[in-house]
Amino acid sequence: MDARAKAIIAHITPIGWIIALVLNSNHRDEFTSFYIRQMLGLIIAGMVLNLIPVLGWILSIVLFAFWLLSLIYAIQGQTRIIPLGEYFQKWFYSL
């Protein structure tokens, strides 16, 4: 499976993220790792925002836009950082 397909799978659901992580563990590809780190940050941010009643719901719409932007970049084969993505790349560098 190519790196772009694994990066797209990482965007599908948290289960897709786990599948992409497992697929990338044998033959580590930097493109896929980039999107695995980015998606982990978005998944964690989404969980935290769901704990905040009204403001969290509004910010979840912004988070959805970041997810969609990341998915579009992965489909195009580009490694472009979404807003807050540089933090995700630093925090989860070991993935």
Side-chain angles (χ1 to χ4, degrees):
M1 183 176 291
D2 69 331
R4 200 168 86 176
K6 290 187 279 188
I8 293 168
I9 289 171
H11 285 81
I12 303 301
T13 62
I15 294 171
W17 180 86
I18 293 170
I19 292 169
L21 182 66
V22 170
L23 290 174
N24 197 44
S25 65
N26 293 337
H27 303 288
R28 191 172 174 147
D29 181 63
E30 186 55 36
F31 181 79
T32 305
S33 295
F34 175 85
Y35 281 104
I36 286 174
R37 290 188 294 264
Q38 195 154 277
M39 282 309 302
L40 179 60
L42 288 176
I43 290 168
I44 292 172
M47 286 188 215
V48 170
L49 287 177
N50 282 331
L51 299 175
I52 305 169
V54 176
L55 181 63
W57 300 330
I58 294 169
L59 291 176
S60 290
I61 295 169
V62 174
L63 197 66
F64 174 75
F66 291 166
W67 171 83
L68 189 60
L69 193 61
S70 178
L71 178 62
I72 290 169
Y73 292 151
I75 290 170
Q76 292 176 346
Q78 301 175 3
T79 54
R80 295 187 58 190
I81 294 181
I82 58 169
L84 301 175
E86 64 270 1
Y87 297 111
F88 302 153
Q89 296 299 322
K90 290 178 191 174
W91 296 339
F92 309 120
Y93 187 74
S94 63
L95 295 177

